[in-house]
Amino acid sequence: MGLTEYEPGTAFAGTIGRTADESTPAWPRPLRAAADSPNVLVIVLDDTGYGQLGCYGSPIATPNLDALAAGGLLYTNMHTTALCSPSRSCIITGRNHHANATAAVNEMATGYPGYNGQIPFENGFLSEMLLARGYSTYLVGKYHLLPSEFESPAGPYDRWPLGRGFERFYGFLGGDTSQWHPDLVYDNHQVHPPRTPEQGYHLTEDLADRAISFIADAKQVAPHKPFYLHFCPGATHAPHHVPREWADRYAGRFDDGWDAYRERVLARQRELGVVPAGAELSRHDPDVPDWDSLTPDARRLATRMMEVFAGFLSHADHHIGRLIDFLKEIGEFDNTLIVVVSDNGASAEGGPAGTTNELQFFNNAPESVEESLARIGELGGPDTFNHFPWGWAWAGNTPFRRWKRETYRGGTSDPFLVHWPAGIAARGEIRTQYAHVTDIVPTVLDALGAEPPAEIRGVAQSPLHGVSLAHTFDDADAPTRHRTQYFEMFGHRAIDHDGWRAVCPWPGPSFAEAGQPFGALISAGTLTDLDAHHWELYHVADDPAENHDLAGEHPDKLIELIALWYTEAGKYNVLPVDGSAAARLLVQRPQVAEPRDRYVYRPGTQTVGFFAAPRVLNRPHSITADAEIPAGGAEGVLLCQGSSAGGWSFFLRDGRLCYAHNYLGRVISQVSASEPVPAGRHRLRFEFEPTGSPDLAAGRGAPGRAQLYIDGTLAAQEQFEVTTPIGLNPGGLTCGANPGSAIVPDYAAPFGFTGVLHTVVVDLSGDLITDSAAEMRMAMARQ
């Protein structure tokens, strides 16, 4: 006899007598998905440009993603917001990024509704929607959808993945991380990687393993329960980390440079039908040097950086293929709706020459070509934090203009693949309908035959802003339903409407032409001038590369589109228009903790991220450890912050008290006591007293006197001539050990303290000296 079930909240469906033998049981019906509901797999690539996947004409091998295109649909007209967190918020909510309060990366939140960095709960996540429909919900990889100051053990956790509908999470909360030594979170707590790079560890492989295990865990218990997996590898965001053999596969493949790359990719895009047969390349970017103008050394360096990037992308494709193979193995591949998208165009954050260590660029201390060449053999390895030159970003967005952070199509046009054999009859076809990342949620819901929920956990839901693309699945000629889409990123504005595109670049079409850097302020007078004189107009239906400005020929159309931009801006909380970047970092924001000058840490606790840790750079400060030294002596880290790319460490080595400052991987400044610390309980103290001012523009932090004390007695002192001026990324602060890569070469990580460590206190005094522009670049690197 079967069980009697009833809907929870309705009347009991059994009978109740005086005793059990006179009664009939019934059970509240468990939440179950509708029969034959498809699984949903959303793969979000990072900083992967339009011209970087093989199926979009690239020479980089991406056979597994190409196979999805061959077995499904390739869209040529998908658009993003031009930046990471904003696009990811659209992908997961179906609402525009300013309506998600995510105008930029959340490290740069300001006190306006479209900018405060806290996605409203009325903008439900797809995970919350599908969880309520009986799905298992998993997020694996990059999140970056909460304010950075909330990325700490103090939470608040309601904005972490498990607070937004994901039942399981494994990945990293911020915008980037080392692929060899990642900052990992499992559900709501930090964990260490299961292996070391020397043991073959790489984050992308780990993420694929974890995604497979999450699916397998549930399927072995409930084989018919569908899953939603949001899979977000760190690839291809910097650092471009990959095993050497993957990079070496591309040896010599890019020797002819970025200009030639663009020509080859465009030709292949025409063959594939990714662009019209008569499509042009965008103009040569004024900020990018001609390849032939570079010195032989600069070309050799840039070539290797691109080889490493290509290997990184192919390596990620390989592990995506492992996930796909697992779905085939368990019989779930055909009924899995797979969506692949990138969050923005290729990134130019490596600067004009690229870098072996992004931290140098963010601290205004870029290395010379000669310095980079000395480390060319290390590129992609655990001791680098490398990013290619912006010429490769421009080439990676072929055939479009510019790159990530800007609303020309190089920043906003991205790969988009859809694959679902059980639900889509078309195979290997191209779709040209206009699309935006806000369309992904409504498309998934439409494919499931589901309506957007009216409420989630008692919170009334806002309308979706995207439209479903499901009507295009089996009809190449289906009309475009997404007719209007605005764009805004750091004051760089655009709007698409019915094949026309208006763009108002800020600070200009290029840095060279603008004569101003990224992040320049927009005053009311500047905005009036921009609206009156600096909008450009393109008929992208005929001119996808935005080569032919028609503003002078069609002023009425331009005025119409400018007015339409302001209409959309009013709808979605885009105002006030803000071109600044550096100034946003200085805005006072609500914090979980009250401001203070004294921070207490204990061993065994979780790492504290840079934005939640005390800011010790360029200011007087002390670090005092309360430690017990056993009779045989002790060694290990008391407190440290950063990584081999840059940071500082307070530690004992061979029983002697030491402090070392790693200046951007270039200079190790160290002070060490001459005698071991005797057995017993002691107060071990480091003090830093600046003896000069930092030269932030030149990338040099404050010089200063470094002193060590044991129980109040001076044990050693040294003059540090240079320190880190701006910030650390990675910048985690850890008590009692150095997880990840060793900050100084004097010890092997994690170098845990072998005595008894009670507390470590960081005490701050003096004014914090900052270079907001450089801090902005560091924050942007996390997106």
Side-chain angles (χ1 to χ4, degrees):
M1 181 177 180
L3 295 173
T4 300
E5 297 180 342
Y6 61 96
E7 289 297 325
T10 64
F12 177 66
T15 59
I16 298 177
R18 294 177 304 156
T19 62
D21 63 330
E22 296 177 331
S23 305
T24 305
W27 300 85
R29 181 175 291 115
L31 179 63
R32 302 187 186 99
D36 300 321
S37 293
N39 306 303
V40 177
L41 170 58
V42 177
I43 300 173
V44 185
L45 302 173
D46 204 330
D47 289 3
T48 305
Y50 193 88
Q52 290 180 325
L53 300 185
C55 52
Y56 281 83
S58 170
I60 300 172
T62 54
N64 294 291
L65 294 173
D66 296 354
L68 294 179
L73 301 173
L74 182 152
Y75 286 75
T76 63
N77 210 3
M78 169 56 79
H79 296 78
T80 66
T81 70
L83 200 62
C84 163
S85 297
S87 292
R88 289 168 188 264
S89 78
C90 299
I91 291 167
I92 210 165
T93 68
R95 283 86 167 187
N96 282 310
H97 61 301
H98 293 86
N100 286 326
T102 312
V105 290
N106 292 331
E107 292 86 349
M108 308 176 86
T110 59
Y112 301 99
Y115 293 73
N116 65 38
Q118 301 184 33
I119 300 175
F121 292 109
E122 57 264 30
N123 292 3
F125 282 18
L126 182 58
S127 48
E128 295 170 311
M129 301 175 197
L130 297 188
L131 182 66
R133 298 187 65 83
Y135 274 67
S136 298
T137 56
Y138 315 127
L139 193 154
V140 176
K142 175 174 172 174
Y143 186 55
H144 208 202
L145 290 175
L146 77 165
S148 56
E149 56 267 23
F150 294 174
E151 297 172 21
S152 81
Y157 289 98
D158 57 351
R159 296 189 181 278
W160 286 39
L162 268 61
R164 294 305 307 250
F166 288 104
E167 295 174 303
R168 306 185 75 178
F169 168 61
Y170 185 83
F172 54 103
L173 293 173
D176 71 353
T177 193
S178 169
Q179 302 294 299
W180 300 110
H181 297 288
D183 300 318
L184 282 177
V185 172
Y186 196 152
D187 294 339
N188 279 353
H189 66 281
Q190 294 174 349
V191 295
H192 297 300
R195 291 175 291 147
T196 66
E198 293 75 20
Q199 294 168 327
Y201 179 84
H202 190 280
L203 178 59
T204 307
E205 180 179 9
D206 188 16
L207 296 178
D209 289 344
R210 193 66 59 174
I212 290 168
S213 72
F214 281 178
I215 296 168
D217 284 346
K219 288 293 185 181
Q220 67 186 355
V221 176
H224 299 297
K225 184 178 183 182
F227 66 82
Y228 160 47
L229 170 62
H230 205 72
F231 186 73
C232 305
T236 51
H237 195 291
H240 301 156
H241 280 164
V242 70
R244 180 186 298 272
E245 60 268 22
W246 286 86
D248 287 348
R249 297 180 183 187
Y250 290 95
R253 297 279 296 277
F254 306 109
D255 287 358
D256 51 358
W258 41 65
D259 300 285
Y261 179 101
R262 296 183 83 223
E263 295 286 352
R264 289 201 311 273
V265 171
L266 177 64
R268 182 62 177 149
Q269 288 175 335
R270 289 169 173 163
E271 291 175 13
L272 294 171
V274 170
V275 299
E280 303 173 323
L281 284 175
S282 64
R283 65 172 186 162
H284 193 289
D285 195 285
D287 288 331
V288 177
D290 291 333
W291 181 257
D292 291 341
S293 73
L294 300 178
T295 67
D297 281 347
R299 289 198 296 268
R300 183 161 68 93
L301 178 64
T303 295
R304 183 56 179 175
M305 288 179 168
M306 184 58 183
E307 292 169 1
V308 171
F309 172 87
F312 189 26
L313 178 54
S314 290
H315 180 262
D317 175 86
H318 168 75
H319 289 290
I320 290 170
R322 291 177 51 233
L323 175 57
I324 291 169
D325 287 344
F326 174 72
L327 297 181
K328 293 176 180 178
E329 177 185 329
I330 64 174
E332 296 289 345
F333 179 68
D334 286 351
N335 199 31
T336 298
L337 172 59
I338 302 176
V339 171
V340 182
V341 70
S342 178
D343 58 2
N344 46 246
S347 168
E349 288 155 354
T355 180
T356 64
N357 179 1
E358 270 194 325
L359 196 56
Q360 296 171 354
F361 178 70
F362 308 140
N363 282 277
N364 292 337
E367 61 202 351
S368 66
V369 170
E370 292 73 22
E371 289 173 311
S372 295
L373 277 173
R375 304 189 66 190
I376 193 170
E378 302 174 47
L379 288 171
D383 294 326
T384 62
F385 215 83
N386 49 296
H387 195 308
F388 58 25
W390 61 24
W392 288 122
W394 171 61
N397 295 323
T398 300
F400 303 122
R401 294 178 70 163
R402 300 297 280 175
W403 41 58
K404 171 184 177 179
R405 299 188 308 193
E406 301 183 15
T407 66
Y408 284 119
R409 293 197 67 191
T412 66
S413 293
D414 280 282
F416 182 58
L417 309 174
V418 179
H419 185 277
W420 183 24
I424 301 174
R427 299 286 185 272
E429 296 185 9
I430 287 175
R431 295 291 182 265
T432 60
Q433 291 85 358
Y434 189 93
H436 185 263
V437 280
T438 52
D439 299 336
I440 292 175
V441 166
T443 300
V444 170
L445 294 178
D446 195 2
L448 270 55
E451 293 293 326
E455 66 174 41
I456 292 175
R457 288 181 287 197
V459 178
Q461 293 295 288
S462 66
L464 300 182
H465 301 151
V467 300
S468 173
L469 301 170
H471 72 293
T472 70
F473 284 175
D474 287 314
D475 185 358
D477 298 321
T480 291
R481 293 180 179 171
H482 198 135
R483 297 180 55 205
T484 304
Q485 181 61 48
Y486 82 92
F487 301 86
E488 187 281 332
M489 192 56 59
F490 297 105
H492 204 292
R493 295 175 288 159
I495 188 161
D496 290 334
H497 180 69
D498 287 346
W500 289 90
R501 178 165 236 264
V503 185
C504 189
W506 179 254
S510 69
F511 301 138
E513 292 163 302
Q516 295 189 82
F518 168 74
L521 296 173
I522 297 177
S523 67
T526 300
L527 183 60
T528 298
D529 180 65
L530 287 170
D531 285 339
H533 302 294
H534 295 281
W535 281 87
E536 302 164 2
L537 179 67
Y538 303 99
H539 192 222
V540 288
D542 302 322
D543 177 24
E546 300 168 301
N547 278 332
H548 307 288
D549 183 2
L550 304 178
E553 298 176 37
H554 298 280
D556 292 346
K557 174 59 70 174
L558 181 60
I559 291 170
E560 173 194 342
L561 290 182
I562 295 171
L564 186 55
W565 186 91
Y566 274 99
T567 300
E568 297 297 288
K571 287 182 186 178
Y572 299 119
N573 295 331
V574 181
L575 300 177
V577 175
D578 187 355
S580 73
R584 300 190 199 189
L585 285 173
L586 303 179
V587 171
Q588 185 175 357
R589 292 186 287 271
Q591 303 288 315
V592 175
E594 294 296 324
R596 64 195 191 278
D597 289 333
R598 187 173 184 271
Y599 297 75
V600 181
Y601 299 99
R602 290 176 170 79
T605 53
Q606 297 185 34
T607 294
V608 178
F610 181 79
F611 291 92
R615 304 295 290 272
V616 300
L617 303 178
N618 300 318
R619 65 190 301 175
H621 63 274
S622 67
I623 305 170
T624 304
D626 178 358
E628 293 182 43
I629 309 300
E635 65 176 7
V637 169
L638 301 168
L639 193 71
C640 68
Q641 185 177 28
S643 70
S644 61
W648 54 264
S649 183
F650 185 36
F651 60 99
L652 272 73
R653 185 189 64 243
D654 299 327
R656 296 181 298 115
L657 187 61
C658 306
Y659 176 94
H661 186 101
N662 178 340
Y663 170 67
L664 308 177
R666 290 180 176 175
V667 177
I668 305 295
S669 300
Q670 185 163 305
V671 57
S672 302
S674 59
E675 300 294 333
V677 179
R681 188 164 181 171
H682 300 281
R683 292 176 61 80
L684 310 176
R685 183 178 178 87
F686 167 77
E687 288 188 358
F688 181 78
E689 180 184 358
T691 56
S693 299
D695 185 349
L696 303 178
R700 298 176 67 86
R705 184 178 301 107
Q707 298 179 322
L708 296 176
Y709 292 85
I710 300 174
D711 298 324
T713 300
L714 182 65
Q717 65 177 337
E718 296 287 347
Q719 175 71 20
F720 288 2
E721 297 302 328
V722 63
T723 59
T724 303
I726 309 299
L728 304 172
N729 183 39
L733 182 145
T734 306
C735 183
N738 177 172
S741 59
I743 295 168
V744 293
D746 286 2
Y747 57 72
F751 201 47
F753 184 62
T754 58
V756 177
L757 182 58
H758 296 282
T759 61
V760 181
V761 176
V762 178
D763 201 288
L764 306 178
S765 62
D767 294 330
L768 179 63
I769 304 170
T770 63
D771 178 338
S772 57
E775 285 190 342
M776 172 274 297
R777 291 198 299 272
M778 187 178 68
M780 288 293 296
R782 304 179 76 239
Q783 18 97 19

